[in-house]
Amino acid sequence: MREALAGLTLRGRAFVAAGVTAVVCAVLLGQPALTRVGVLVLALPLLTAAYVGRNRYRLALVRTVSPQLVTAGQPARVGLTMTNQGRTPHAVLLVEEQLPYVLGTRPRFVLDGIGQGWRREVSYQVRSDVRGRYDVGPMTVRVSDPFGLVELGRSFQTSVPLTVTPRVVPLPPINLGGGSSGSGDNRPRAFAHGSAEDVTVREYRRGDDLRRVHWLSSARTGELMVRREEQPWQARATLFIDNRAGSHRGQGVASSLETAVVAAASIAAHLGRRGFAVRLVTAAGEDAAAAWHVRDATLDTGPILESLAVLQPLRATHLDTGWLREQGQGGLVIAVLGDLTQADLPVLRRMHHGADAGLAVALDVAAWGTGVPTAPGASGAAVLSRQGWRSVGLGPRDRLDAAWQDLGRSRATAPRPHGATSGPGTGIRTGGGTGATTRGGPS
């Protein structure tokens, strides 16, 4: 009853005030008829509150989101199925879904005629242009009486996640210049099957099929060994993205970090379609949820896109190098980089040295901060080219597919000796020619 009285609407409180006023005036003026009217007006909201407060509601809700994994800008439909599992009829239900602001306005529904065995299905559409993982729900229900004097709030605690992945730009095919570990070919290959005498083994590497383990050799050496002649030679690619907050400029979807995420997602989808096993590495190290993922029949590099959907900027100032200690790194390495510092160069050299081929997309971060592109000789793409990378610059007004095409035509210059620096730069002292494709600035 206390909860019901607290749920009196403005109309219900007005009735209570009018009833009390009428009773007081009737006593002062000696009007018995006015007393009866005041008692009736006062009793109506009180009786309604008692009726609503004593009822026990048994409402059930089933919420579905289809699909639960969408690309930024793609809509998803939310279906709601509500049933009345109790015997008590309800007059009016005011239903409101709780949604994050980026998914749109909160949908509201008015449901009436609710009796025993009642069932109602409604749906609405959500859409977000911002990547991330969001919770759809919970739902709040306000039960109202036919006179609109009392409203009681109820809430379903359940919610359904919706993952919005970054936008994927179709990329043209280019010469990647290496992909299979230990090979210069950029397409998946496999060993020919040999006889039992031709069996050779090697150490187990992350991503190897456990069915290829050679148990006799493993027992003899004390380490897992796999058969080489039966082991599929999967083309591998490591996708590195620099997500340090200090390496990027701008805010929201127009920031350089969001451009880097879109570039990484597009490259991951492109590599997946070409048959690569792709793993994602960030400034904090290898992402365990997106390690050596091979494209399946329904979704290109789904775990990698899901990891990129929730990627957040890091406050760290240095790149993690733990993943570089893995034996037999090899394969193709594609890096999406922001602003570089002198301390990053040794890490980038190690990254390139352990790969069969190294490609880099260097964002012209200065163009996001000041609007003025960096000089071609001092750009991040030029610095990476002098480190032996095939690199291309990307500015805020550049098209990613065109930059990717330029990356396929780029060539790296011979790496300079460690410590050889000269000339001005953006926080990095470097020298020599560029040999890289640089982009940026007004088009």
Side-chain angles (χ1 to χ4, degrees), residues 129-154:
D129 294 325
V130 181
R131 63 180 177 88
R133 182 176 288 120
Y134 307 102
D135 288 329
V136 179
M139 172 187 286
T140 58
V141 179
R142 299 197 67 83
V143 182
S144 177
D145 67 284
F147 302 103
L149 302 178
V150 179
E151 280 188 3
L152 293 182
R154 296 289 186 267

Side-chain angles (χ1 to χ4, degrees), residues 132-382:
R133 182 176 288 120
Y134 307 102
D135 288 329
V136 179
M139 172 187 286
T140 58
V141 179
R142 299 197 67 83
V143 182
S144 177
D145 67 284
F147 302 103
L149 302 178
V150 179
E151 280 188 3
L152 293 182
R154 296 289 186 267
S155 178
F156 293 96
Q157 300 301 322
T158 59
S159 61
V160 177
L162 173 65
T163 302
V164 181
T165 61
R167 182 172 55 92
V168 174
V169 178
L171 300 179
I174 64 172
N175 179 23
L176 298 176
S180 297
S181 180
S183 170
D185 192 6
N186 58 23
R187 292 175 297 178
R189 300 196 303 162
F191 283 108
H193 293 277
S195 63
E197 291 78 7
D198 297 329
V199 173
T200 58
V201 295
R202 61 168 174 81
E203 293 181 358
Y204 173 83
R205 299 173 185 170
R206 183 181 300 179
D208 289 336
D209 192 344
L210 292 178
R211 292 175 296 180
R212 307 302 183 186
V213 173
H214 194 273
W215 296 109
L216 292 178
S217 300
S218 300
R220 184 174 61 256
T221 61
E223 296 182 359
L224 281 180
M225 308 294 289
V226 294
R227 298 183 182 92
R228 292 196 60 176
E229 91 292 350
E230 296 179 1
Q231 178 67 22
W233 201 345
Q234 176 71 52
R236 293 185 174 188
T238 297
L239 178 60
F240 176 82
I241 178 172
D242 184 3
N243 60 323
R244 294 174 297 175
S247 299
H248 294 278
R249 302 290 184 275
Q251 299 291 332
V253 295
S255 65
S256 61
L257 176 60
E258 293 303 313
T259 302
V261 171
V262 170
S266 303
I267 294 172
H270 177 76
L271 294 176
R273 285 190 291 268
R274 295 187 63 169
F276 280 82
V278 186
R279 68 169 172 175
L280 178 66
V281 178
T282 67
E286 183 176 357
D287 189 336
W292 297 125
H293 176 75
V294 183
R295 175 199 180 196
D296 54 37
T298 58
L299 184 64
D300 289 344
T301 57
I304 292 181
L305 295 183
E306 291 186 45
S307 296
L308 289 173
V310 296
L311 185 71
Q312 297 296 324
L314 296 178
R315 297 187 178 274
T317 57
H318 298 284
L319 299 175
D320 181 84
T321 59
W323 65 279
L324 291 174
R325 303 188 186 99
E326 179 183 347
Q327 295 295 328
Q329 173 192 341
L332 175 68
V333 173
I334 301 181
V336 181
L337 303 169
D339 196 15
L340 301 177
T341 65
Q342 188 69 36
D344 298 333
L345 298 185
V347 179
L348 294 173
R349 279 195 293 266
R350 290 181 56 190
M351 195 184 304
H352 182 268
H353 179 73
D356 294 333
L359 286 74
V361 177
L363 275 65
D364 188 3
V365 177
W368 270 272
T370 63
V372 179
T374 307
S379 64

Side-chain angles (χ1 to χ4, degrees), residues 1-9 44-58 88-93 141-154:
M1 184 63 182
R2 183 179 303 175
E3 181 185 5
L5 291 176
L8 287 173
T9 63
L44 183 61
L46 297 179
L47 293 176
T48 302
Y51 172 77
V52 174
R54 290 179 62 86
N55 283 337
R56 295 297 180 262
Y57 306 107
R58 296 185 58 189
T88 304
H90 308 292
V92 179
L93 289 183
V141 179
R142 299 197 67 83
V143 182
S144 177
D145 67 284
F147 302 103
L149 302 178
V150 179
E151 280 188 3
L152 293 182
R154 296 289 186 267

